[in-house]
Amino acid sequence: MNELRRILSDTRRKLILLALPFLCLGLFLLEQMGGNIRGGWELMQWVGQTYRERVESWRGLEPEEILAQAQATRYDGLGLYEQAEHVRDYEAYLKTVQEQAARMSRSSLFGGDKNSFVYRNIQKTAADFKSLEGIRAEFGSDRAVEQWIAFQTADWFHLLAVILFVLAFLEDRRRGLLALVRSTPGGRKRVTLSRLAVLFGVSFVSALLFCGLPLAASFAINGGLSDLGRSIQSLQSFKTCTLHLTVGGWILLYFAVKVVCGFFVGVFFWFILSFLEHIQLAWLVIIGILGAEYMARRFIAPQMALGFLRYLNIFSYISPAELLSRYQNMNFFGWPVGSFTLMAWLLLVLFVLLTAGLMLIQIRRHPFGNRDVLGRLIRGVNRFFDFFRRRLPIGLTEAYKLLFLGGTLIFLLIGVYVGWGLKLSGSDYNPYSEPDAMVMAQYVKEAKGPITQETLDYLERAQAQLDARPTISNQFRGGLNMLKQEVAERQQKAAEGGYEPWLLDQVTINNYYGEKVWYVSRWNALLVMFFAILCAAPVFAFEEQGGTARLLRSMSRGRSRVFLHKYLVVLLEALVLWAVVFGREWLEIREALGREFLAAPAQNAAVFEALPVRISLGGALLLLNLIRLAGLLVTVLVTAWLSRQVNTWEKAVMPAAALLLMPAALLYFDQDWARVLSLLPFTGGAEAMAGFGSAGLYGFLLLPWLALGVFLTLRCRRSWVKTA
Amino acid sequence: MELKLENVTKRYGQKEALSAFSHTFREGIYGILGANGAGKSTLMNLITDNVKRDGGSIEYNGTDILKLGDSFRDILGYMPQQQGLYEGMTAEGFLAYLARLKRIPGRKIPREITRVLRLTNLADVRHDKISSFSGGMKQRVLLAQAMLGDPQVLILDEPTAGLDPKERVRLRNYIFELAQNRIVLLATHIVSDIEAIAGEILLLKQGKLIKAASPKELMTSLPADVKPLMGSYFTLEDVYLHYLGEDPDE
């Protein structure tokens, strides 16, 4: 208990541990909401309710009857048709396995050598599946368990919680307290045993939270608690599972396996980190092992010669669902052994060895004065890097400090990863629901470009073609009429505004910048702001926390020069985030519209109609992206100023989140009054552009924000460069 | 070479951390003695322009250091009391970075790093991460960086804290050699650190300069009525305790 109390006495760690279950649950719900916070909740509830209702109404029917009823809604994504198909075919599948085994055993290719692994594997597979005869797959509510099992992010949360505690075990070494702890009567064996107990407890609680919460949520959404008594083979994903368990029994087994595996993985990391005295090297080894194992898991197919590496892998313990749900034998000196059985034995052997090794290290090995075998190697590596580091100019050293020593590299990488996966446009202007609009979109594809006599000729030709076919569907006439109206409108507006009329693909432009899809750019901007804040927050706080600010400021280049480079680095980080999301969008829209259309006057696009300045479409998009960049830079400038006022990263993040992210989040959730308080319209871009035109002048609110950014930067500069 | 402080005052709220401090420093070693909170670090921070003074002036060769700005910092070597280091850097990486901040030309940096690492006896661990260093080693890294670029004014705040006796003697001798043509200000509360090398000792108490004299003068400066109370043999430490108000028998 004392050890647990010590570990939890760290406020930062406690906060992280408290936040993780909520984050895990939030991500599960987000996944159920199709990744869409706005409207996703309703969608998720609708899907859950529809699924529950259909399962209830089809319960008790024969599979064939269910299939007949489900045929109409086969492609609605609920998977009920496939579910019924599986129930119908399961018995036949079991028979097929036996028949296939008998056929293969008779063949000279597989059955020739009775002592071969292949032959034994065929026999074992047949025997294992034989034991399933009599087990029935029943139709019922599967979705809750299927969705939960597919949510592998929970495994990473479990791992993270375990690693956090393992790192806490190493704190005494990091803080130079190892000698003190070891000199106390309970400082060796008792501490090690209590840490093992803590680790087991953490794995248990983590499994309960990170598996239990999403499972509870999944049942709440999709129902299915009353169907836990069916055989696990009733679920499609468990078609090849040979465990004789009910769904409920399988869940309990999975939970127990998660606890044991989490505990084992914790011991594994703890052993490596304790065995290698150089933390730096230990982490390299761990990252190396995880990297290699992940590659094996990701890229080696089960049927490949090295297929066993896919299962004989640390990730089998991190994500044990596959081991427990799929039938797979591995070649163990010529004998087929079930992957789950083999991994369980391996876990037992490794666990005993690692725990014994860990106890020896913690109790018997002297922490100091040992032969520094690896020290030379580490020094060699450092010497190699020092060769380059010695030559780093101040700017690059500042980048190195912020990214590596300040730890923002991780936020930047996560930001880039998340940003890369963001959807850049909506489909709210999709014409496919309206037949006329769909035809018009086709016409636009052919006729788009400057509206000239050629365009008018095209319209006439199209009209003549339609007139020649009186029986053609009315939607073609409707589509052409819409196009004619659009051309006339563009011509009229261009004549009034004094610019060249162009026929553009309004649908594409609207799907990126139209008011109905502002939620997309708002969400993207919110995330970019979030990561920009995380990256900028330590820029000065990190120096105060480490006590290096005074040292730097006592040097001739430690003031203006360092200040300038610190700002450059955080602005570059913001630029990277901006480029990953909005730079990518620029490339995407350029591709979607066609480069030549960027030369069209911007007012030809309905979304830019009200722009008060004459500008090309390309220019308008450039302006829009510059506004976004300006919004993001203000975010960074405000955060950097906050960072100068405090001495820890968290203290800079919290007010920055309150000041910049809260109003942005409110606006995202349609609290329009928050628009004047938020930078989101500018980092989002599209609505700020609309704000420069007829919709009002709030686009000009960017100017006070910019002024604030500049003012705070000057204040910050003054406090760093001039006397503090 | 002259560093002149005149009526320098610094207040933190109601508390006067340094009160009308005046003194002129020329080439040589100055020991600044005082208990914790006497104002030693405040004085150092004022000279390095890390805190804003509330009054008075600090001039180097007749020009205010605020006016001199970077050119004053060019000739300044500062070792702060707190161990402010980038733990994730190697000793060499750290010194290379600070050498650049000190405007030492790039081609001279490797030689300069080797020189200060040898002086501080850290040459063997130059490629080790600072996080693996003991407290004493970290102290030496800080000292090494202060010596980078051969500064004309060396401000050392508690430089011997955490050093073993051998290192302390080594450092003392080095500072003594250094001081021939530069100003060295050495703040400490350990009398023996400066007893043998300081040309002048400044005694600070509650932000006030109460005595400035050579060690010899300090020894003879005790009032006649106090000497008999101290017995036949007394040291500079006893004098220090006398002036700072502590009871030597305590």
Side-chain angles (χ1 to χ4, degrees):
Chain A
M1 278 306 278
N2 281 338
E3 186 59 14
L4 187 64
R5 209 172 295 140
R6 177 191 72 79
I7 292 169
L8 294 180
S9 65
D10 184 311
T11 316
R12 191 187 294 191
R13 192 179 297 130
K14 205 155 45 188
L15 283 175
I16 293 174
L17 289 169
L18 280 174
L20 286 182
F22 293 103
L23 198 58
C24 178
L25 181 62
L27 286 176
F28 176 74
L29 291 175
L30 190 64
E31 205 173 281
Q32 300 307 301
M33 286 152 62
N36 185 7
I37 289 185
R38 283 166 48 109
W41 184 260
E42 289 77 17
L43 177 74
M44 178 184 77
Q45 283 182 317
W46 179 84
V47 167
Q49 195 183 347
T50 312
Y51 182 82
R52 286 198 307 267
E53 283 170 4
R54 289 200 191 147
V55 168
E56 282 315 310
S57 64
W58 297 343
R59 196 184 285 281
L61 298 180
E62 286 302 313
E64 286 299 344
E65 290 175 290
I66 298 172
L67 283 170
Q69 296 210 26
Q71 181 65 44
T73 53
R74 186 169 180 180
Y75 302 107
D76 63 0
L78 294 179
L80 279 160
Y81 186 89
E82 290 75 14
Q83 208 180 305
E85 228 175 14
H86 164 70
V87 170
R88 182 192 62 184
D89 299 342
Y90 184 67
E91 217 175 305
Y93 166 72
L94 290 181
K95 275 186 194 142
T96 313
V97 173
Q98 297 305 323
E99 286 163 11
Q100 214 170 356
R103 198 167 51 245
M104 287 168 87
S105 303
R106 283 196 300 273
S107 82
S108 56
L109 182 64
F110 300 112
D113 182 2
K114 301 272 186 285
N115 292 321
S116 69
F117 166 75
V118 178
Y119 181 79
R120 286 172 180 155
N121 192 24
I122 293 167
Q123 297 306 310
K124 182 178 184 307
T125 306
D128 287 343
F129 277 86
K130 185 93 181 156
S131 72
L132 291 176
E133 278 176 11
I135 287 180
R136 277 187 63 228
E138 293 170 66
F139 182 79
S141 183
D142 299 352
R143 193 177 160 82
V145 178
E146 294 275 19
Q147 293 289 309
W148 169 64
I149 282 294
F151 180 65
Q152 294 202 344
T153 312
D155 299 328
W156 296 103
F157 275 95
H158 191 178
L159 178 69
L160 187 63
V162 167
I163 286 182
L164 273 176
F165 272 81
V166 170
L167 289 178
F169 297 160
L170 302 170
E171 217 162 40
D172 41 14
R173 188 166 75 180
R174 194 166 56 84
R175 297 193 175 187
L177 294 167
L178 195 55
L180 174 71
V181 173
R182 283 175 58 87
S183 66
T184 60
R188 299 186 185 196
K189 193 160 80 183
R190 199 189 295 172
V191 161
T192 310
L193 288 174
S194 63
R195 283 178 182 174
L196 281 169
V198 165
L199 200 56
F200 184 80
V202 167
S203 185
F204 181 84
V205 175
S206 302
L208 203 65
L209 290 173
F210 301 128
C211 297
L213 283 177
L215 180 64
S218 195
F219 277 127
I221 297 162
N222 302 296
L225 267 175
S226 58
D227 284 336
L228 294 179
R230 294 176 300 148
S231 67
I232 189 68
Q233 284 78 10
S234 302
L235 275 68
Q236 246 179 298
S237 326
F238 294 81
K239 188 178 175 181
T240 64
C241 176
T242 53
L243 296 170
H244 291 227
L245 288 169
T246 60
V247 177
W250 189 90
I251 291 172
L252 285 178
L253 174 69
Y254 178 72
F255 176 76
V257 168
K258 277 296 286 182
V259 174
V260 173
C261 286
F263 181 45
F264 167 72
V265 170
V267 170
F268 173 77
F269 284 131
W270 188 15
F271 174 80
I272 294 178
L273 288 167
S274 310
F275 181 72
L276 300 171
E277 289 180 24
H278 290 269
I279 294 281
Q280 196 188 350
L281 181 74
W283 277 114
L284 276 179
V285 169
I286 285 178
I287 291 168
I289 292 174
L290 286 179
E293 297 272 84
Y294 183 77
M295 300 289 259
R297 176 96 167 167
R298 183 87 173 72
F299 298 110
I300 297 178
Q303 63 275 17
M304 287 168 74
L306 294 172
F308 67 92
L309 289 176
R310 183 183 158 82
Y311 297 98
L312 214 66
N313 192 306
I314 186 85
F315 285 95
S316 292
Y317 297 122
I318 294 170
S319 292
E322 194 180 334
L323 279 183
L324 284 169
S325 58
R326 287 193 197 157
Y327 185 78
Q328 179 73 39
N329 286 326
M330 283 196 278
N331 187 345
F332 188 72
F333 299 108
W335 292 92
V337 184
S339 52
F340 177 64
T341 314
L342 190 68
M343 290 306 284
W345 279 105
L346 184 68
L347 182 141
L348 192 67
V349 172
L350 281 177
F351 177 74
V352 170
L353 289 175
L354 290 177
T355 311
L358 198 56
M359 294 292 282
L360 280 175
I361 291 168
Q362 301 294 321
I363 298 166
R364 302 295 294 271
R365 189 168 82 174
H366 296 104
F368 310 109
N370 299 321
R371 269 183 65 204
D372 193 8
V373 184
L374 296 166
R376 285 180 66 183
L377 175 72
I378 300 273
R379 231 164 269 151
V381 173
N382 285 343
R383 182 197 296 266
F384 173 76
F385 285 113
D386 270 348
F387 177 80
F388 300 102
R389 282 191 284 241
R390 206 166 53 205
R391 287 162 174 77
L392 284 183
I394 293 169
L396 285 179
T397 311
E398 287 304 324
Y400 169 76
K401 276 165 55 188
L402 190 65
L403 289 169
F404 291 93
L405 307 181
T408 62
L409 181 66
I410 190 85
F411 298 125
L412 189 64
L413 289 177
I414 296 174
V416 167
Y417 177 76
V418 171
W420 197 258
L422 286 177
K423 203 172 67 168
L424 302 172
S425 63
S427 52
D428 301 53
Y429 293 90
N430 199 329
Y432 298 110
S433 53
E434 293 173 42
D436 292 1
M438 201 160 77
V439 172
M440 179 188 162
Q442 289 303 316
Y443 278 127
V444 168
K445 267 188 193 166
E446 290 177 12
K448 65 184 179 182
I451 299 175
T452 58
Q453 189 53 45
E454 211 176 305
T455 319
L456 302 177
D457 292 346
Y458 172 83
L459 291 177
E460 270 182 35
R461 274 199 312 277
Q463 186 63 55
Q465 278 177 359
L466 289 184
D467 292 343
R469 296 181 190 175
T471 53
I472 200 163
S473 166
N474 269 340
Q475 71 191 59
F476 286 93
R477 294 183 203 288
L480 188 61
N481 283 339
M482 282 173 76
L483 179 66
K484 281 181 182 170
Q485 276 172 22
E486 167 77 7
V487 168
E489 194 183 336
R490 287 292 134 222
Q491 279 181 312
Q492 189 198 338
K493 285 189 173 164
E496 284 167 12
Y499 56 86
E500 190 190 5
W502 279 58
L503 182 63
L504 297 173
D505 180 359
Q506 301 287 350
V507 173
T508 301
I509 299 172
N510 276 335
N511 274 334
Y512 279 90
Y513 308 112
E515 191 171 349
K516 282 196 239 170
V517 294
W518 281 357
Y519 69 89
V520 176
S521 55
R522 279 179 180 175
W523 175 247
N524 294 352
L526 189 62
L527 283 178
V528 171
M529 283 170 75
F530 172 69
F531 284 108
I533 287 172
L534 291 184
C535 287
V539 62
F540 291 106
F542 158 73
E543 303 287 3
E544 285 298 333
Q545 192 170 17
T548 43
R550 286 179 182 195
L551 188 63
L552 297 187
R553 295 180 73 256
S554 71
M555 298 183 188
S556 38
R557 282 176 176 165
R559 298 197 174 197
S560 302
R561 189 72 77 95
V562 165
F563 179 85
L564 175 71
H565 285 106
K566 278 186 180 299
Y567 264 72
L568 282 178
V569 174
V570 288
L571 293 179
L572 273 174
E573 283 186 309
L575 192 65
V576 168
L577 293 167
W578 172 88
V580 166
V581 179
F582 300 122
R584 195 160 58 88
E585 185 199 283
W586 165 262
L587 296 176
E588 224 180 83
I589 186 94
R590 204 180 60 165
E591 198 65 32
L593 287 177
R595 279 188 200 192
E596 63 275 22
F597 290 92
L598 299 180
Q603 282 77 2
N604 283 296
V607 288
F608 299 134
E609 234 167 44
L611 270 184
V613 284
R614 264 324 116 65
I615 192 170
S616 69
L617 182 58
L621 294 181
L622 185 68
L623 178 65
L624 181 137
N625 279 300
L626 286 177
I627 290 171
R628 286 168 164 171
L629 191 58
L632 194 59
L633 294 189
V634 173
T635 306
V636 168
L637 296 180
V638 172
T639 311
W641 176 78
L642 286 167
S643 178
R644 180 73 187 114
Q645 313 307 310
V646 295
N647 56 7
T648 63
W649 173 81
E650 301 96 305
K651 286 182 191 167
V653 168
M654 279 188 271
L659 193 70
L660 302 168
L661 293 181
M662 280 289 275
L666 287 168
L667 181 59
Y668 177 73
F669 286 107
D670 291 332
Q671 301 300 308
D672 280 349
W673 57 267
R675 180 179 283 155
V676 289
L677 301 173
S678 174
L679 267 170
L680 196 65
F682 308 108
T683 36
E687 57 192 298
M689 286 291 274
F692 284 116
S694 60
L697 294 174
Y698 80 83
F700 291 101
L701 274 180
L702 179 61
L703 297 177
W705 275 109
L706 278 174
L708 177 73
V710 171
F711 173 73
L712 292 181
T713 305
L714 291 175
R715 295 281 307 170
C716 189
R717 185 179 187 281
R718 191 180 165 78
S719 93
W720 181 268
V721 175
K722 302 284 175 193
T723 313
Chain B
M1 198 190 307
E2 185 183 88
L3 182 67
K4 190 174 176 187
L5 282 81
E6 219 166 84
N7 289 320
V8 177
T9 303
K10 176 66 196 171
R11 275 182 293 273
Y12 294 112
Q14 296 296 313
K15 194 189 169 213
E16 206 153 64
L18 203 65
S19 180
F21 181 94
S22 295
H23 197 77
T24 302
F25 301 98
R26 296 191 178 84
E27 284 98 327
I29 300 172
Y30 296 84
I32 299 168
L33 276 175
N36 290 330
K40 303 188 296 288
S41 290
T42 300
L43 178 64
M44 301 281 162
N45 280 324
L46 284 163
I47 296 172
T48 55
D49 190 27
N50 265 310
V51 293
K52 192 176 179 180
R53 56 184 185 247
D54 294 319
S57 66
I58 304 174
E59 289 174 358
Y60 179 70
N61 290 342
T63 312
D64 197 294
I65 60 161
L66 296 181
K67 230 178 229 173
L68 288 170
D70 284 351
S71 55
F72 175 64
R73 285 186 280 277
D74 270 341
I75 51 105
L76 187 69
Y78 172 49
M79 178 187 176
Q81 188 182 6
Q82 281 176 328
Q83 289 188 348
L85 297 151
Y86 301 110
E87 302 256 327
M89 282 185 172
T90 59
E92 182 173 308
F94 178 70
L95 292 172
Y97 168 55
L98 295 187
R100 287 201 185 274
L101 293 185
K102 285 191 167 189
R103 292 205 263 214
I104 296 171
R107 61 195 155 76
K108 286 188 181 167
I109 287 176
R111 208 173 44 218
E112 189 61 10
I113 290 173
T114 305
R115 181 183 74 85
V116 294
L117 283 173
R118 278 196 188 137
L119 283 172
T120 50
N121 213 12
L122 289 168
D124 291 345
V125 291
R126 63 191 296 163
H127 298 299
D128 284 6
K129 293 258 174 183
I130 293 173
S131 56
S132 68
F133 287 2
S134 66
M137 287 164 90
K138 287 179 185 171
Q139 194 75 356
R140 280 186 277 154
V141 175
L142 275 178
L143 186 61
Q145 66 75 28
M147 293 167 179
L148 280 170
D150 215 8
Q152 291 299 297
V153 179
L154 202 55
I155 312 279
L156 308 173
D157 200 351
E158 307 277 5
T160 56
L163 298 188
D164 61 35
K166 198 174 158 191
E167 288 298 336
R168 287 165 83 134
V169 172
R170 190 184 158 95
L171 173 69
R172 205 185 297 159
N173 292 341
Y174 175 68
I175 292 171
F176 184 70
E177 280 170 33
L178 266 181
Q180 304 309 314
N181 51 0
R182 53 177 61 78
I183 299 168
V184 180
L185 267 64
L186 202 157
T188 182
H189 54 249
I190 303 166
V191 180
S192 60
D193 277 352
I194 50 169
E195 193 173 6
I197 57 168
E200 193 172 359
I201 293 175
L202 285 75
L203 296 179
L204 279 178
K205 186 182 178 183
Q206 290 168 357
K208 291 188 179 74
L209 176 65
I210 55 165
K211 191 87 187 163
S214 68
K216 215 174 185 178
E217 285 166 351
L218 273 179
M219 291 290 280
T220 54
S221 67
L222 286 177
D225 55 331
V226 175
K227 280 182 186 170
L229 297 173
M230 292 197 170
S232 55
Y233 174 76
F234 61 93
T235 65
L236 189 59
E237 200 147 17
D238 297 312
V239 178
Y240 160 71
L241 289 174
H242 164 75
Y243 279 113
L244 298 185
E246 273 107 340
D247 183 356
D249 293 331
E250 247 177 30

